[in-house]
Amino acid sequence: MSSSVPPPPESVIPPEAAAPVSPVSVTVGAVEHSVDFVRPRLRARAARRAALYAGVQINGAPHLGTNVMQTAAFLLARAARDRLGVRADLRFGALDNAPYDTRVCPRTGTAYTRSYHHALGQAGIADLVKRFYGGLFDALTALTGVPYTVETYTRQQESPAFREEFLASLGRWEELRWTLAPSSGRVPVGFPCPACGWLQKSGEHTELLDADARRARFAAVCLDHGRYEIDVRPDGGAWLGLTTLHRNLVKERLADRDEALPVIVKGADWAAGCRLLDEAFLCFPGARPPARVFTPVVLSASGAKLSKSLMREGRAELSPDTPPWMLDATRWPGTTERYAVTLHRLVSLMLSDPRHFERGYTTPEVARLLRESDTI
């Protein structure tokens, strides 16, 4: 999926009256705009291009927090272009590896999952991406002039370079596993059964049989089909089911192969996880963690970030006046273009000062900012 690049309009500059009230940031005096965090790495690498990477979960309709992160990625890319003088584009990863359904072995209690990819297939995934993100991303491109692409995890993990990085991680496994899971050292890897597509969620019975730089062989167990063995090679083999941190490590090392400077854009709730990722990078001689920018999170009344899982469980503790569209973007009452303008104005407010960007926002505070900026 790609997009054209029409010129951005001038009518979405936020008014001063709607500015947030934020505490002094620890970066005051050092950082004038949040995209400036990227400048040292650009200079060190002498890069003329920047590629901003962000993940797109497709396991249901996005909530406002997800769309704030994505809108911030567009605005940061535009700021990199205009402020830092580099070409910048966005690369969204559509995570079709999320569990679609789960089964539990009645005898052992072992959980087995099937991913969105294996349940819906390529066409079904493409429909979900288009439904939840296509129109919004196109509208944000129209507002910012920033191009984007979307690539599914399934397609990405099929590439020889991704598999080479996965095999390289196995070569440093004894050290690496304690950085990715410092409490236990256990980092499961899953491989769907070739007969049905189900895999053990926690990889209890997955075993690495042998590995080198060009091939790894694993054994795993299926609830219906018993034991099976699987090969992973740069030119093909098994679909890779990796834990969140392991998958991000492989993806970020892959991104660093590009001539464009990789910039990882994630919500601020990822800060703790990225501490572990940065430690994992240091397991590879000469490797440096990528440039990172953390975006504001949207919080419920309890202070917890908006979360699909908490909302499904009815434990999100949202205020009674939270508009339904903040929880489910498909319930926005207007057009997609108007939603994009609203997000653009909101995130522009957040980016107007680093102290506004380095904090979280409750849903009532978001409603106030939007009301005072007269966008809804």
Side-chain angles (χ1 to χ4, degrees):
M1 180 186 297
S2 61
S3 62
S4 58
V5 187
E10 299 295 332
S11 60
V12 291
I13 303 301
E16 290 297 326
V21 178
S22 302
V24 174
S25 164
V26 296
T27 64
V28 65
V31 178
E32 296 177 358
H33 190 289
S34 292
V35 82
D36 291 341
F37 284 107
V38 177
R39 191 189 299 271
R41 198 63 61 84
L42 277 173
R43 290 176 59 85
R45 190 158 166 163
R48 297 183 178 182
R49 292 176 51 219
L52 281 72
Y53 291 83
V56 176
Q57 278 284 0
I58 58 171
N59 58 341
H63 54 66
L64 179 61
T66 299
N67 288 156
V68 162
M69 183 274 291
Q70 294 156 349
T71 305
F74 275 95
L75 290 173
L76 288 163
R78 183 175 69 180
R81 181 193 67 201
D82 298 345
R83 187 176 178 88
L84 305 181
V86 296
R87 287 186 295 155
D89 66 280
L90 287 178
R91 303 178 188 182
F92 288 103
L95 300 175
D96 57 349
N97 57 322
Y100 181 82
D101 43 16
T102 302
R103 300 168 61 194
V104 176
C105 175
R107 182 175 58 85
T108 64
T110 302
Y112 292 78
T113 63
R114 185 171 55 146
S115 72
Y116 268 72
H117 164 73
H118 291 92
L120 302 182
Q122 182 176 347
I125 295 300
D127 287 344
L128 278 183
V129 173
K130 181 178 180 180
R131 174 183 165 195
F132 291 142
Y133 301 104
L136 174 62
F137 287 1
D138 287 344
L140 288 171
T141 284
L143 291 170
T144 62
V146 173
Y148 75 89
T149 57
V150 177
E151 183 180 47
T152 65
Y153 170 74
T154 291
R155 181 173 178 181
Q156 186 177 54
Q157 61 86 43
E158 290 173 343
S159 73
F162 187 100
R163 289 164 178 267
E164 287 170 1
E165 291 295 349
F166 168 71
L167 292 171
S169 73
L170 297 181
R172 301 186 176 277
W173 198 240
E174 190 54 36
E175 180 183 6
L176 195 59
R177 66 190 183 95
W178 288 105
T179 62
L180 295 177
S183 293
S184 66
R186 176 166 173 72
V187 183
V189 180
F191 304 95
C193 172
C196 63
W198 289 80
L199 58 76
Q200 279 190 348
K201 180 179 180 179
S202 300
E204 296 94 330
H205 301 105
T206 302
E207 179 185 2
L208 176 60
L209 301 178
D210 60 79
D212 57 34
R214 303 302 299 173
R215 171 184 171 274
R217 187 163 185 81
F218 290 83
V221 175
C222 174
L223 182 59
D224 297 316
H225 301 98
R227 187 180 187 275
Y228 56 95
E229 294 187 1
I230 221 83
D231 280 343
V232 180
R233 306 178 308 278
D235 62 350
W239 188 93
L240 302 177
L242 308 182
T243 62
T244 300
L245 293 177
H246 191 189
R247 180 182 71 246
N248 276 264
L249 172 66
V250 173
K251 289 168 60 175
E252 290 178 7
R253 282 182 53 79
L254 173 64
D256 198 45
R257 294 187 177 200
D258 197 295
E259 65 172 332
L261 176 76
V263 179
I264 310 302
V265 180
K266 292 183 180 295
D269 57 302
W270 255 93
C274 287
R275 288 174 60 188
L276 298 179
L277 285 178
D278 291 348
E279 288 289 330
F281 262 86
L282 300 180
C283 294
F284 297 84
R288 295 183 64 183
R292 304 186 188 280
V293 181
F294 296 108
T295 66
V297 293
V298 179
L299 309 172
S300 65
S302 70
K305 80 179 188 76
L306 294 190
S307 160
K308 291 177 186 175
S309 59
L310 290 183
M311 286 186 281
R312 282 194 300 266
E313 297 166 6
R315 298 192 293 125
E317 298 186 42
L318 298 161
S319 58
D321 58 345
T322 300
W325 61 266
M326 289 191 182
L327 312 181
D328 179 348
T330 64
R331 300 181 68 180
W332 171 257
T335 64
T336 299
E337 290 73 19
R338 185 62 180 172
Y339 183 54
V341 168
T342 298
L343 287 168
H344 185 289
R345 186 178 290 264
L346 173 65
V347 179
S348 293
L349 284 169
M350 296 172 176
L351 274 169
S352 63
D353 189 302
R355 71 178 68 186
H356 301 331
F357 202 65
E358 298 168 18
R359 53 163 287 184
Y361 291 82
T362 63
T363 51
E365 175 66 0
V366 169
R368 182 191 72 81
L369 292 173
L370 294 178
R371 185 170 56 251
E372 294 187 5
S373 63
D374 196 29
T375 63
I376 58 172

